Amino acid sequence: MRLQRPLPPGSTIGILGSGQLGRMTALAAARLGLGCHIYAPERNSPAFQVAAAHTVSTYDDLAALARFARTVDVVTYEFENVPAATAAFFEGKVALAPGARALAVAQDRVDEKSFIASLGITVAPFAAVTDEENLAMAVAKLGRPAILKTRRLGYDGKGQVKIDTATDLAAAFAAIGKAPAILEGYVSFDKEISVIAARGWDGEVAVYDVPENVHRHHILHTSTVPARISAAITEEARELGRRIAAALDYVGVIGVEMFVGAQGLLVNEFAPRVHNSGHWTMDACLVSQFEQHVRAICGWPLGDPSRHSDAVMTNLLGDDAALWARLAAEPYAGLHLYGKTEARPGRKMGHINRLTPRQG
Ligand code: AMP
């Protein structure tokens, strides 16, 4: 269901999911005089601390979802694994943005790659895998190295295994739990970049500058703007972001991950939500990706996405955040901590945006 009219200050955004992305969205909404009601199964969540209302229940609790829907003016989500049935539940009751189609496509890596390829955009060569036999056929076709990924529910390198010259295929398939999978040819790339774009209900689009992303152990480590890529590649990447958002009739912020290599730009995947590689916008732009998402889904004019500073965003994982006092003392840096009490290794505890005056 589409939004019937722009939501004035005082309206309430419903957010499915209660992690740091929901938290930062709620903070951005508060700045515009909008409230948030967070719905999630987990107790003691980062987003609950900063929102006026929250509901703790499962995503299949139809009674709780119905109560939630009655208290909010629009529903969004901060993670892409919201069950399709939950998204469908809101149909006809309250506006949902991004819509159920973007969610469904993003949830299945084969559908996602097929959709992107159908737009004439280059993706890694891929094949669907359902059993060991067609895994062997796919490896014979795509060659080694290749990457085997579960079709659904993978993130930060989970549910993935690289298939090298010596990798035993049965063991690789077992390592991902013999789940329906995608095999992707291994792309040799120079850089990973991403496009953070916002699209409104009326089709207006705003695209941020392109960050260059470095991962460590499959988790984003830094995002740097500007990326060290040509102006032509930057514009091409932004255009791909616009095209994907338009083709999905998307509303909200979308994060599109890409590889830059000798063969040009390849799209890896998109996230139907605000994205970790867009966190630098909180300090290097007047309107952050979180505020932009709020503006888009609430039918407001989109904000100016231009960047007033160069920036390096560094994720603070696990014990990194224990250095908060030192980080907080850094000049020209924005520190963001997510209010998580337990610092498990690899857990995203916060991030810091280190700014320098804009060079170009
Ligand atoms: P993903 O879960 O698809 O975001 O993949 C996680 C990371 O694995 C990416 O950020 C890349 O660094 C790497 N990766 C994913 N797919 C490929 C591929 N087809 N070829 C080479 N590296 C890849």
Side-chain angles (χ1 to χ4, degrees):
M1 179 170 149
R2 298 181 69 81
L3 197 70
Q4 301 305 309
R5 60 188 168 92
L7 297 178
S11 304
T12 302
I13 300 168
I15 304 179
L16 302 173
S18 57
Q20 64 269 15
L21 299 180
R23 175 188 177 95
M24 292 184 277
T25 303
L27 289 169
R31 179 166 127 158
L32 298 180
L34 295 153
C36 286
H37 182 162
I38 315 284
Y39 187 110
E42 300 87 11
R43 294 181 185 279
N44 305 322
S45 296
F48 294 168
Q49 298 162 4
V50 301
H54 69 260
T55 297
V56 178
S57 194
T58 55
Y59 292 117
D60 59 2
D61 180 347
L62 298 187
L65 286 173
R67 280 195 299 274
F68 169 75
R70 281 196 295 273
T71 67
V72 301
D73 300 295
V74 63
V75 173
T76 189
Y77 40 89
E78 58 118 49
F79 77 120
E80 58 269 49
N81 292 320
V82 170
T86 307
F89 174 82
F90 294 111
E91 196 49 53
K93 295 185 180 67
V94 60
L96 176 75
R101 170 143 182 265
L103 190 64
V105 174
Q107 283 178 353
D108 183 305
R109 289 185 188 274
V110 172
D111 292 351
E112 181 181 40
K113 285 244 160 32
S114 307
F115 166 76
I116 296 166
S118 76
L119 302 179
I121 297 171
T122 314
V123 296
F126 69 96
V129 168
T130 49
D131 55 30
E132 280 167 34
E133 201 178 316
N134 60 28
L135 172 60
M137 274 157 50
V139 171
K141 191 170 132 213
L142 300 183
R144 298 180 188 229
I147 303 190
L148 184 65
K149 306 177 182 178
T150 55
R151 280 177 79 143
R152 305 179 74 87
L153 298 174
Y155 70 99
D156 286 349
K158 294 187 176 65
Q160 291 192 20
V161 44
K162 188 170 173 198
I163 296 185
D164 279 313
T165 340
T167 306
D168 176 65
L169 296 186
F173 196 43
I176 60 155
K178 299 191 179 184
I182 183 172
L183 185 78
E184 292 182 20
Y186 199 80
V187 176
S188 66
F189 54 82
D190 303 328
K191 292 183 176 64
E192 291 189 67
I193 60 169
S194 53
V195 171
I196 309 298
R199 189 167 179 276
W201 291 99
D202 58 358
E204 182 194 2
V205 177
V207 189
Y208 288 98
D209 207 349
V210 175
E212 178 173 337
N213 304 320
V214 173
H215 294 83
R216 276 193 188 162
H217 312 295
H218 294 282
I219 300 175
L220 183 65
H221 173 48
T222 57
S223 291
T224 301
V225 274
R228 291 164 302 161
I229 53 177
S230 68
I233 294 280
T234 303
E235 199 31 60
E236 191 185 332
R238 289 160 52 105
E239 184 55 25
L240 293 184
R242 281 185 206 105
R243 274 176 57 199
I244 291 171
L248 289 166
D249 197 15
Y250 195 86
V251 176
V253 164
I254 185 171
V256 187
E257 298 179 19
M258 305 180 192
F259 301 133
V260 188
Q263 72 281 55
L265 274 178
L266 262 82
V267 171
N268 178 32
E269 61 179 0
F270 70 83
R273 53 170 168 77
V274 285
H275 196 259
N276 196 167
S277 69
H279 288 3
W280 57 273
T281 61
M282 296 174 86
D283 295 298
C285 302
L286 281 181
V287 176
S288 74
Q289 64 162 346
F290 299 99
E291 180 175 331
Q292 200 72 286
H293 183 69
V294 166
R295 285 172 175 246
I297 65 172
C298 292
W300 286 40
L302 298 182
D304 180 353
S306 62
R307 171 175 63 82
H308 55 67
S309 297
D310 290 350
V312 179
M313 185 290 306
T314 304
N315 268 335
L316 303 172
L317 305 181
D319 289 338
D320 295 350
L323 300 176
W324 59 268
R326 206 168 84 195
L327 296 165
E330 280 191 32
Y332 223 52
L335 178 63
H336 304 265
L337 299 172
Y338 305 152
K340 298 181 184 177
T341 43
E342 200 191 334
R344 290 192 294 275
R347 190 173 194 208
K348 291 176 180 167
M349 303 297 290
H351 67 272
I352 184 165
N353 291 327
R354 296 185 171 100
L355 304 187
T356 48
R358 185 173 172 158
Q359 301 296 316

